[in-house]
Amino acid sequence: MLRYLARRIRYSLLVLWGVVTLVFFLFNVLPADPARLIMGNRTDYATYENIRHQMNLDKPMWQRYLVYINDLLPVSINKRDIAEKKQYHYLQLFPVSSTKCIVLKWPYLGRSYRTKREVTAVLGETLPGTAILALSAMIFATIFGILLGVLAALKKGTWLDTSAIAASVAGISMPSFFAGLIIVYVFGYLLHSYTGLNMTGSLWEYDPFTGKHLVLKNLILPAFALGIRPLAIITQLTRSSLLDVLSQDYIRTGYAKGLSKAKVVFRHALPNALNPVITAISGWLAELLAGSFFIEYIVGWKGVGRVTVDALDKFDFPLVMGSVLLTASIFIIVSLLTDMLYGWLDPRIRLH
């Protein structure tokens, strides 16, 4: 098991390194000049050159790449003055010489061009909102997807079955951003007087008199819109898997022994039918955590997606790069945990 775990971690680190390399070169070959973006309307040439020097833009691409990797690594070698200037979040600093030191730190993603705040701090503020939205959408999709799948399997061939299949196909075919627009417009605008829901809003709102307060109703529409596609897939997986299990011999044996239909289905058949569903849930959770960009932007939800879209609009490259690396890391970590779970449950997987 330890060998299998070490192999999966090595593969995950290689994938992460590839993503980091791709992101760096992708955003460093764009025609936009970061120094000009920071300066704005100022035309002072000396200031322009000073900014380029501080951002290492006057160095060759390969040197800037090494600096970027050095900043991201949790253990890096730096000159003492550079380490202090970048204001790393130190865990420990080990002097090597009078000028150099080994720094044990959190990954440094740079600073936003617009706000001058650290990218780590910006993403740290917005990640909880995205996580709550993604988890709420996944809980909604899991509960109702399994219920609809079980209902469709038990009522195979009836109008309930065909309606569930048709609805799931429509849910899979409909992009999340389009579903979000329709749902927000219908329930947040046309039916606002009945639902009391708003077209836009975040989990926390600020009132000049009462201060910060929680608004849970703003979570309903974005979670519903974000959960439609995974709900449709979970419904189809549950239906097909449960139908396959219900045709097994041990199910017929259970009926022959006089067990009730509810006990056979929910105690014996459904647990064995949920293996592919659990696989889908783990994959979709990672995708929702990393892919709620358009839904957040449509409803004005304060999360990583909305911040990233705004950063793209303003050419705030450090914030966009940090967001891409964060989402890639989420995918890699969830995939690694899933592989570890499979390896623990099925020893045969460790041999591959």
Side-chain angles (χ1 to χ4, degrees), residues 19 21 32 46 72 83 87 95 100 108 143 156 169 171 173-174 177 184 217 231 236 272 308 329:
V19 171
T21 303
L72 290 178
Q87 298 179 351
K100 291 187 177 182
Y108 180 73
I143 293 175
K156 181 183 177 182
V169 170
S173 306
M174 187 182 302
F177 69 89
V184 167
K217 70 176 184 179
L231 183 148
Q236 289 202 354
N272 292 321
T308 304
S329 300

Side-chain angles (χ1 to χ4, degrees), residues 315-330:
F315 295 101
D316 196 346
F317 296 148
L319 189 52
V320 177
M321 293 167 69
S323 175
V324 172
L325 292 180
L326 175 64
T327 55
S329 300
I330 290 173

Side-chain angles (χ1 to χ4, degrees), residues 113-124:
Y113 290 161
R114 291 186 299 152
T115 63
K116 306 299 186 293
R117 296 182 60 202
E118 286 192 18
V119 172
T120 306
V122 176
L123 295 178

Side-chain angles (χ1 to χ4, degrees), residues 24-25 27-28 33-36 38 47-72 77-79 81-83 85-86 88 108-111 113 318 321:
F24 174 83
F25 285 103
F27 284 94
N28 277 271
D33 187 349
R36 290 293 182 189
I38 293 176
T47 304
Y48 172 74
E49 288 297 322
N50 185 44
I51 293 175
R52 284 182 57 83
H53 177 70
Q54 291 179 356
M55 299 178 64
N56 298 314
L57 295 175
D58 55 345
K59 295 180 179 178
M61 182 76 73
W62 66 271
Q63 290 186 9
R64 287 153 55 190
Y65 173 70
L66 293 179
V67 171
Y68 186 65
I69 293 294
N70 197 51
D71 286 342
L72 290 178
I77 300 177
N78 289 89
K79 292 183 178 180
D81 57 340
I82 293 179
K85 181 177 65 176
K86 289 187 176 180
Y88 289 142
Y108 180 73
L109 299 174
R111 291 182 176 273
Y113 290 161
M321 293 167 69

Side-chain angles (χ1 to χ4, degrees), residues 214-265:
L214 184 67
V215 188
L216 285 176
K217 70 176 184 179
N218 289 340
L219 181 63
I220 297 174
L221 292 184
F224 180 44
L226 196 61
I228 284 180
R229 294 195 72 200
L231 183 148
I233 291 176
I234 290 172
T235 298
Q236 289 202 354
L237 282 175
T238 304
R239 177 187 178 275
S240 60
S241 182
L242 185 58
L243 285 174
D244 181 62
V245 172
L246 288 175
S247 65
Q248 301 296 317
D249 292 337
Y250 72 91
I251 298 297
R252 288 191 289 270
T253 303
Y255 283 123
K257 289 183 176 181
L259 296 178
S260 65
K261 186 174 182 179
K263 181 172 288 188
V264 170
V265 171

Side-chain angles (χ1 to χ4, degrees), residues 155-169:
K155 301 294 182 180
K156 181 183 177 182
T158 66
W159 68 271
L160 286 172
D161 183 26
T162 55
S163 299
I165 293 175
S168 63
V169 170

Side-chain angles (χ1 to χ4, degrees), residues 12 282 330-343:
S12 299
S282 64
I330 290 173
F331 267 108
I332 291 170
I333 291 172
V334 172
S335 299
L336 178 61
L337 293 176
T338 304
D339 289 341
M340 291 169 57
L341 179 61
Y342 288 162

